[in-house]
Amino acid sequence: MDERLKRTEWFRHDRFGMFIHWGLYSIPARGEWARGSEQIDDNTYYSYFNQFDPYAYDAREWARLAKSAGMKYAVLTAKHHDGFCLFDSALTDFKATNTPAGRDLVREYTDAFRAEGLKVGLYYSLIDWNHPAYPAYQHHSHPHRNNENYKNRRPFTEYIDYMHNQVKELCTGYGKIDIMWFDFSYGDMCGEKWEATKLINMIRKYQPDIITDNRLEVSGEGFGSLATENPLIYSGDFVSPECIIPPEGIVNTAGCAIPWEACITLNDNWGWAPSDNNYKDESVVIRKLVECVSKGGNLLLNVGPDATGRIPEQSRNILTNVGRWMDGHSQAIYGAGKSDYTKPEWGRYTQCGDTVYACVMDFPVGPLALPGIPAEKIDYCRLFPGGSELKLYNDWRTSNYAGIAYVNIPRYDMYNKIYTVIKIKLKQ
Ligand code: GLC
């Protein structure tokens, strides 16, 4: 088996994770790009550093919320583009332990999430708006891109050393890390510019089973060499489409499905932004999760904890409701993937071996047609939650539609709830 498929086995099984964007930017509270997009000067930004006091941060609460939502893994921003580190790096002073927080916030996260049985991932920004060797003047999104005083920078190799050594700290100081989520490449800042071969070899030495996204090579829209038949060593293990679900999943140039994970915001921002109330409600989240799975992908759904360290109430409520659905229907998600059968008009099929899950999102009038699945191929059907028997069904209404299998969803199960799942066991 291809080493990437082997490494991603758990990942392709688990399907649903929590993305956590948290850092100093939770104080200005206009999303995680504020330092760059608003070109905030250093004094102002460092004042947030001196004020960062997330007294309500309780990683166990975050972990319990993720778990109760049915999420199986998480990815926390150990360092975002602003350069601020949530972990106690020996290589910088710009870290949480030097703020009023005074704690290694990454360690609390890795400990707490593992304790809840979740896999732990770390996001690490390749871009760094704080490091003196990172290109600044007229460069991309840098907060000092219009300031001539930032023309002369220290040699870029100093940044590469710093970045590699910080990744090493994360790979050696926090136990088993399941995902290293790099962000992101652009222009000629990609691949070997990051000394990516050396970086990946180092990571694998300390974390042989770790999986990585594809952004050492590309950014949120790119596939990279992972989608070719000869991926580079640093191509990553999965494609990371950002705020989009690929129309038909993702295949490589040979037509083979490759792992992918859509990362999606819950409102319209990654970092805490209280003025943004454009939340996706639980029914949207559930539909999007089912959509990802039905196309062979994962969903990494974001939360942006606030400046006190709490996950916003709206997000908590939505996730709790998603969890209520997951509780009775998650067999359509875990271990499932793309179905052999074409998408039905009322929802989506997911599939695991010889079991198809019909996720019914638009309830029928009368019996439900199971298009594409011949009646004689069906061993039995079960209705979830609960697992009660659901017989193939025909009456005078279906008599003109020969060749289509029907089931009759009991009235009590319709209209009054979000999405039903029907398990359809196929004959061998
Ligand atoms: C982007 C953004 C970033 C966010 C990430 C998540 O590339 O720069 O703020 O963390 O996407 O995918």
Side-chain angles (χ1 to χ4, degrees):
M1 194 205 253
D2 170 71
E3 52 172 13
R4 287 183 177 78
L5 285 180
K6 196 155 169 245
R7 277 202 292 266
T8 54
E9 220 164 343
W10 69 264
F11 178 77
R12 288 179 291 113
H13 174 276
D14 287 356
R15 293 297 186 208
F16 191 24
M18 175 184 269
F19 213 173
I20 309 170
H21 276 71
W22 194 40
L24 295 184
Y25 43 79
S26 61
I27 299 178
R30 295 184 295 275
E32 77 294 348
W33 269 69
R35 188 179 188 182
S37 51
E38 298 174 20
Q39 301 178 50
I40 297 177
D41 63 84
D42 288 349
N43 280 345
T44 308
Y45 210 75
Y46 293 148
S47 72
Y48 303 139
F49 177 82
N50 294 323
Q51 295 156 8
F52 186 61
D53 182 19
Y55 56 84
Y57 171 50
D58 181 349
R60 286 162 308 179
E61 247 178 51
W62 292 9
R64 283 194 289 266
L65 177 67
K67 187 174 182 180
S68 75
M71 292 160 156
K72 295 280 196 187
Y73 64 98
V75 178
L76 169 69
T77 51
K79 180 192 88 170
H80 206 272
H81 306 337
D82 64 358
F84 177 68
C85 298
L86 293 181
F87 63 109
D88 188 16
S89 171
L91 306 164
T92 182
D93 292 331
F94 199 46
K95 56 182 177 181
T97 37
N98 289 344
T99 67
R103 297 138 65 186
D104 185 326
L105 306 172
V106 168
R107 182 167 316 285
E108 291 179 24
Y109 154 81
T110 51
D111 288 351
F113 277 67
R114 272 190 213 113
E116 288 297 328
L118 298 166
K119 294 237 172 9
V120 296
L122 296 174
Y123 166 112
Y124 185 86
S125 174
L126 299 166
I127 298 168
D128 195 313
W129 298 328
N130 201 62
H131 195 280
Y134 200 87
Y137 183 60
Q138 298 203 322
H139 190 83
H140 197 251
S141 52
H142 201 285
H144 302 310
R145 59 189 172 277
N146 295 321
N147 186 339
E148 294 207 14
N149 297 332
Y150 285 79
K151 251 184 187 160
N152 296 322
R153 304 294 275 169
R154 302 203 50 86
F156 187 60
T157 48
E158 287 184 19
Y159 176 66
I160 293 298
D161 283 350
Y162 173 79
M163 186 260 273
H164 281 225
N165 285 321
Q166 280 208 322
V167 173
K168 183 172 169 188
E169 288 182 324
L170 293 171
C171 287
T172 54
Y174 296 85
K176 185 171 192 290
I177 303 298
D178 300 290
I179 305 177
M180 187 60 75
W181 216 103
F182 290 110
D183 193 34
F184 60 89
S185 293
Y186 55 98
D188 67 346
M189 305 290 279
C190 66
E192 290 306 355
K193 185 89 182 192
W194 308 120
E195 298 192 15
T197 301
K198 187 173 153 207
L199 182 64
I200 284 289
N201 283 330
M202 180 271 289
I203 294 172
R204 293 230 167 282
K205 179 168 152 202
Y206 299 114
Q207 297 281 346
D209 301 324
I210 202 167
I211 62 173
T212 62
D213 69 343
N214 61 340
R215 296 195 185 180
L216 279 171
E217 227 187 331
V218 291
S219 66
E221 75 279 11
F223 296 177
S225 65
L226 184 56
T228 69
E229 284 163 80
N230 296 304
L232 296 168
I233 184 171
Y234 53 78
S235 69
D237 298 291
F238 59 91
V239 177
S240 56
E242 181 171 327
C243 291
I244 188 168
I245 298 177
E248 295 176 40
I250 301 183
V251 294
N252 68 10
T253 46
C256 300
I258 49 176
W260 57 269
E261 175 196 67
C263 52
I264 293 193
T265 51
L266 199 47
N267 49 4
D268 290 332
N269 277 274
W270 299 102
W272 167 232
S275 65
D276 171 5
N277 274 302
N278 208 7
Y279 282 91
K280 300 165 186 68
D281 68 17
E282 55 272 13
S283 83
V284 176
V285 172
I286 294 163
R287 264 184 285 143
K288 297 305 141 194
L289 174 60
V290 169
E291 180 177 348
C292 288
V293 176
S294 76
K295 294 174 174 179
N298 287 25
L299 174 63
L300 185 65
L301 185 66
N302 184 70
V303 295
D306 66 21
T308 72
R310 299 199 80 194
I311 293 176
E313 191 188 355
Q314 296 98 314
S315 306
R316 281 187 272 133
N317 291 341
I318 296 164
L319 292 186
T320 303
N321 290 334
V322 169
R324 288 202 181 102
W325 183 85
M326 285 294 278
D327 198 35
H329 303 93
S330 60
Q331 57 276 83
I333 305 295
Y334 305 138
K338 199 175 170 114
S339 172
D340 299 335
Y341 301 97
T342 314
K343 179 191 177 311
E345 62 173 359
W346 39 252
R348 293 179 183 277
Y349 289 135
T350 65
Q351 189 165 347
C352 178
D354 59 5
T355 304
V356 177
Y357 295 98
C359 304
V360 185
M361 297 167 176
D362 183 8
F363 287 94
V365 172
L368 178 85
L370 301 175
I373 310 182
E376 60 278 9
K377 270 207 86 170
I378 298 176
D379 189 355
Y380 60 84
C381 298
R382 296 283 184 269
L383 182 64
F384 284 91
S388 46
E389 178 180 46
L390 202 56
K391 290 200 166 127
L392 290 184
Y393 180 89
N394 276 294
D395 66 10
W396 54 274
R397 290 171 295 182
T398 65
S399 57
N400 266 322
Y401 311 105
I404 297 181
Y406 280 90
V407 288
N408 204 12
I409 305 177
R411 298 284 301 174
Y412 64 77
D413 208 65
M414 287 166 64
Y415 308 127
N416 55 350
K417 53 181 262 205
I418 336 183
Y419 323 138
T420 277
V421 166
I422 301 167
K423 171 179 169 178
I424 305 166
K425 184 82 168 60
L426 303 175
K427 290 179 184 152
Q428 295 293 351

